[in-house]
Amino acid sequence: MNIHPKVLDILDKLKNINVIEKVKLDENTLFKGAIPPSRTRFQKDDELNDFFIFSDLRNGHTTIHSWDITNTSDREKMICLTLLKYRRSKKYGNKDGNPLSFDNFREIIIDIEISELNILVKKGIFRLTSDHKYEFVNSKNMTGINNIYRIILPTAEIFPTLTATGSKDYIATVSIHATHPQEYKNLFLERIYQPEKYIPITAKHACKLQGFPLNFEYHKKDEVAKKQFGNAVPVPVVEYVAKELLKILDI
């Protein structure tokens, strides 16, 4: 299929957004020299992502952390990134993510004070575990931050799976253009997140994104209708596959 529609081509509310061609960036600029193995085939290795993920457990040029949207100093950001980097180290436990004690932090940041960690607790970024170790408050990836997991830009050509149980995904109502990852992130916070230029995915949106015909009748209650569209196979994809099978079968 040589058709590559963007989200703004599908949703009427976004029709007037101007599309600016993306710049190509090298690996060193995008990933500081090393492409993460977790990249999916829907993410290009020479372009900025078309979405932003809210997570304290991941890092990347379009990852928004608690310390990005809470008033924190450069020093506090460094401490947060330290926990992000070392919490998965087997040195500190066998879990996928391990809280760090004050002594653990002091091994890495020799001049750290326990008061600095406690300030991050007061700011709602860290929490103190029952064994007096420090962990992120937002310690489950899919829960997102402030009830947001992902905001998809209107210029995106790929849309994440719409689930029957719902998600914390939103669609931005304005587009941004940048030539550097940090500029891109700053523009997102200033022009989309802070002024709340994003909308939840409604049943009407889901209907169009899944490629159902305009005359398709779905449940009047939005929450029920979204379950109808969640986990459905996009109609145009089924149609395309069926036509190709018929060609092979020569019917």
Side-chain angles (χ1 to χ4, degrees):
M1 297 177 74
N2 295 317
I3 303 173
H4 300 284
K6 301 180 187 297
V7 174
L8 57 81
D9 295 321
I10 299 171
L11 304 186
D12 294 335
K13 187 172 182 178
L14 310 177
K15 294 284 187 183
N16 295 325
I17 293 176
N18 293 324
V19 180
I20 301 174
E21 187 175 349
K22 282 186 172 184
V23 296
K24 297 295 182 180
L25 300 171
D26 59 82
E27 293 177 10
N28 191 55
T29 301
L30 273 177
F31 312 107
K32 298 181 180 177
I35 299 174
S38 59
R39 301 281 289 177
T40 71
R41 64 190 181 92
F42 299 121
Q43 296 170 295
K44 296 180 181 179
D45 293 336
D46 60 355
E47 290 182 1
L48 295 161
N49 291 335
D50 286 321
F51 57 86
F52 285 79
I53 288 180
F54 288 66
S55 173
D56 285 344
L57 309 185
R58 299 288 183 266
N59 205 6
H61 63 269
T62 56
T63 302
I64 304 298
H65 304 109
S66 296
W67 51 95
D68 292 319
I69 56 180
T70 301
N71 185 22
T72 52
S73 66
D74 289 341
R75 168 84 172 182
E76 289 170 335
K77 287 179 172 62
M78 181 270 289
I79 294 171
C80 292
L81 288 169
T82 298
L83 178 57
L84 172 60
K85 179 179 179 180
Y86 288 95
R87 66 188 294 278
R88 301 187 72 179
S89 171
K90 295 304 179 185
K91 178 180 179 180
Y92 301 112
N94 295 321
K95 296 180 180 179
D96 183 52
N98 303 285
L100 269 62
S101 67
F102 172 60
D103 287 337
N104 296 150
F105 271 102
R106 199 160 49 180
E107 291 174 4
I108 307 163
I109 309 171
I110 57 174
D111 63 340
I112 195 169
E113 300 289 341
I114 195 167
S115 59
E116 294 181 284
L117 299 176
N118 291 334
I119 287 173
L120 288 168
V121 171
K122 288 182 179 179
K123 290 187 175 185
I125 299 173
F126 285 3
R127 62 181 173 88
L128 199 58
T129 64
S130 58
D131 53 352
H132 302 287
K133 293 183 178 181
Y134 295 88
E135 172 63 299
F136 290 120
V137 169
N138 299 297
S139 57
K140 293 183 179 180
N141 195 41
M142 293 298 290
T143 58
I145 300 171
N146 294 343
N147 209 37
I148 299 173
Y149 175 59
R150 184 165 36 198
I151 295 180
I152 298 96
L153 297 181
T155 49
E157 294 182 355
I158 300 295
F159 205 88
T161 301
L162 296 173
T163 63
T165 55
S167 65
K168 297 177 181 178
D169 289 343
Y170 294 79
I171 303 171
T173 56
V174 296
S175 62
I176 53 175
H177 176 73
T179 58
H180 188 275
Q182 191 57 52
E183 178 194 12
Y184 196 52
K185 193 170 184 176
N186 291 341
L187 285 173
F188 170 77
L189 291 170
E190 293 169 9
R191 297 184 184 179
I192 296 175
Y193 177 73
Q194 291 170 356
E196 298 185 8
K197 297 291 185 180
Y198 53 87
I199 55 175
I201 300 169
T202 64
K204 184 177 180 180
H205 297 151
C207 182
K208 288 191 172 184
L209 289 167
Q210 291 284 39
F212 284 82
L214 295 176
N215 62 351
F216 182 78
E217 294 185 11
Y218 49 87
H219 201 281
K220 293 180 180 179
K221 289 185 178 180
D222 207 67
E223 290 305 311
V224 176
K226 284 193 287 187
K227 290 182 179 180
Q228 291 179 281
F229 297 119
N231 296 336
V233 179
V235 175
V237 174
V238 177
E239 182 183 13
Y240 178 84
V241 172
K243 286 180 178 177
E244 291 302 304
L245 285 173
L246 291 173
K247 289 179 184 178
I248 294 172
L249 297 171
D250 195 27
I251 296 177

